């Protein structure tokens, strides 16, 4: 029987895009059919050993070229940025299940499902880019996304608060507005793609909220106040609003958490 941590080790330490996607889909299929072992055997490498492809070149947000959304070049740049977010999201899902051991099997199954959906998102956006005459790696991409993973590599509650419940949750706030913009441009293909991704992302944040609460309770911590503590400790400043309360509630946020996020620092 194949082992989830052996496949995770491969996906995080080999930079080949096609092989990573294939391995991710294969692992998920094995998991669904009950043919995957969750026994923790392989050693856990330091997060600094994670390998990314040489392309795209990574730049700091300040170095990223500005783009206008209503031009074809702007649209390509937008989907390239999104392809990068989805690509890093494959790593983020693999890393949370790889790094934090001795948790219930369901934890690993949940994050493997997320990894598989992120790989699907990446493939869908890449196909969309190819139709527009571009490909992933053609443009520079945002360097900062992985920083949050490195900062929270020692603490699963910090990881859950910052990655699914902060970075991915931000997608729930901003994606509906992007969908509106593409609707105005009558770009149905982009609307369809972003709607599909948004629906899956609600599920990812929900999985993050679920495990955050379960693991807080196991440690005797109050989830609402521990969320605030993690944000204060691991996030520079406070997450930017406006917040989509309706979608965040579906994704497991409490009204009290959203009220707190809405208050100025
Ligand atoms: Fe995604
Ligand atoms: Fe996601």
């Amino acid at each position: 029987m194949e082992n989830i941590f052996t496949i995770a080790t491969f996906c995080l330490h080999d930079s080949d895009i096609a092989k990573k996607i294939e391995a991710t889909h294969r692992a998920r299929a094995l998991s669904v059919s009950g043919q995957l072992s969750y026994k923790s055997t392989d050693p856990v490498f330091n997060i600094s050993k994670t390998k990314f492809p040489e392309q795209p070149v990574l730049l700091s947000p300040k170095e990223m070229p500005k783009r206008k959304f209503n031009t074809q070049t702007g649209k390509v740049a937008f989907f390239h940025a999104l392809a990068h977010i989805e690509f890093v999201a494959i790593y983020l899902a693999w890393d949370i299940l790889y790094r934090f051991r001795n948790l219930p099997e369901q934890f690993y199954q949940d994050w493997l499902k997320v990894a598989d959906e992120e790989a699907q998102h990446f493939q869908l956006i890449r196909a969309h880019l190819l139709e527009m005459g571009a490909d992933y790696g053609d443009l520079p991409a945002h360097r900062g996304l992985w920083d949050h993973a490195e900062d929270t590599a020692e603490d699963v509650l910090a990881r859950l608060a910052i990655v699914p419940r902060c970075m991915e949750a931000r997608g729930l706030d901003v994606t509906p507005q992007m969908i509106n913009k593409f609707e105005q441009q009558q770009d149905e293909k982009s609307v369809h793609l972003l709607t599909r991704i948004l629906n899956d992302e609600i599920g990812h944040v929900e999985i993050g909220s679920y495990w955050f609460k379960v693991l807080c309770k196991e440690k005797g911590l109050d989830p609402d106040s521990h969320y605030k503590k993690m944000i204060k400790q691991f996030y520079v400043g406070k997450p930017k609003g406006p917040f989509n309360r309706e979608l965040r509630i579906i994704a497991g946020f409490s009204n009290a958490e959203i009220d707190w996020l809405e208050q100025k620092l």
Side-chain angles (χ1 to χ4, degrees):
M1 207 185 249
E2 281 199 73
N3 183 286
I4 192 170
F5 301 110
T6 309
I7 305 177
T9 304
F10 171 77
C11 286
L12 292 167
H13 304 99
D14 188 294
S15 58
D16 188 285
I17 297 176
K19 283 188 201 159
K20 187 186 316 297
I21 287 175
E22 188 278 325
T24 305
H25 293 326
R26 188 166 50 86
R28 167 74 173 148
L30 289 170
S31 162
V32 170
S33 61
Q35 291 173 287
L36 197 59
S37 157
Y38 301 89
K39 198 166 172 282
S40 176
T41 47
D42 296 51
V44 182
F45 290 123
N46 188 282
I47 195 159
S48 63
K49 303 277 181 221
T50 314
K51 271 212 189 81
F52 290 92
E54 279 174 23
Q55 304 288 333
V57 171
L58 301 179
L59 300 178
S60 72
K62 277 185 204 155
E63 297 168 308
M64 290 291 287
K66 294 260 179 291
R67 55 183 193 242
K68 277 231 172 73
F69 191 69
N70 51 1
T71 63
Q72 184 66 7
T73 339
K75 202 184 269 190
V76 167
F78 169 77
F79 279 103
H80 191 278
L82 197 57
H84 184 63
I85 290 171
E86 299 295 351
F87 189 68
V88 176
I90 305 171
Y91 279 81
L92 289 168
W94 273 118
D95 192 77
I96 194 172
L97 74 77
Y98 169 76
R99 195 154 303 288
F100 303 106
R101 303 288 173 100
N102 304 313
L103 293 164
E105 249 180 54
Q106 187 66 45
F107 180 88
Y108 302 101
Q109 289 164 352
D110 282 352
W111 292 108
L112 180 52
K113 177 179 189 280
V114 173
D116 186 43
E117 288 179 356
E118 306 296 17
Q120 291 172 38
H121 297 169
F122 173 74
Q123 286 176 294
L124 288 168
I125 296 167
R126 191 177 193 182
H128 197 45
L129 276 175
L130 287 168
E131 276 177 20
M132 293 189 274
D135 195 6
Y136 179 59
D138 286 356
L139 299 175
H142 189 317
R143 170 175 297 162
L145 298 176
W146 192 246
D147 293 353
H148 297 294
E150 290 181 335
D151 295 346
T152 58
E154 305 295 326
D155 180 348
V156 68
L157 289 174
R159 175 66 65 86
L160 288 163
I162 298 298
V163 175
R165 304 198 82 220
C166 212
M167 291 169 70
E168 290 194 279
R170 187 73 194 131
L172 308 189
D173 305 326
V174 299
T175 312
Q177 298 160 24
M178 299 310 303
I179 293 173
N180 269 340
K181 283 191 185 168
F182 284 114
E183 267 167 358
Q184 279 162 22
Q185 296 178 14
Q186 292 167 338
D187 178 350
E188 279 172 31
K189 188 106 200 262
S190 298
V191 170
H192 182 78
L193 188 56
L194 290 180
T195 306
R196 150 79 199 271
I197 290 175
L198 177 60
N199 286 334
D200 288 348
E201 293 302 331
I202 296 170
H204 301 176
V205 179
E206 200 177 1
I207 289 171
S209 295
Y210 172 82
W211 284 107
F212 186 76
K213 284 177 213 166
V214 167
L215 299 178
C216 272
K217 280 181 190 152
E218 239 171 49
K219 292 191 167 128
L221 298 163
D222 170 60
D224 278 11
S225 51
H226 200 64
Y227 180 67
K228 291 180 202 172
K229 189 179 168 196
M230 293 290 95
I231 299 291
K232 283 180 187 158
Q233 199 174 328
F234 290 94
Y235 197 90
V236 183
K238 213 160 137 184
K240 260 193 238 154
F243 304 97
N244 187 323
R245 188 175 288 262
E246 193 192 338
L247 294 185
R248 281 180 178 251
I249 294 282
I250 298 171
F253 276 81
S254 68
N255 272 308
E257 281 171 329
I258 303 169
D259 289 343
W260 176 73
L261 286 169
E262 280 179 345
Q263 285 160 20
K264 291 215 166 63
L265 272 179

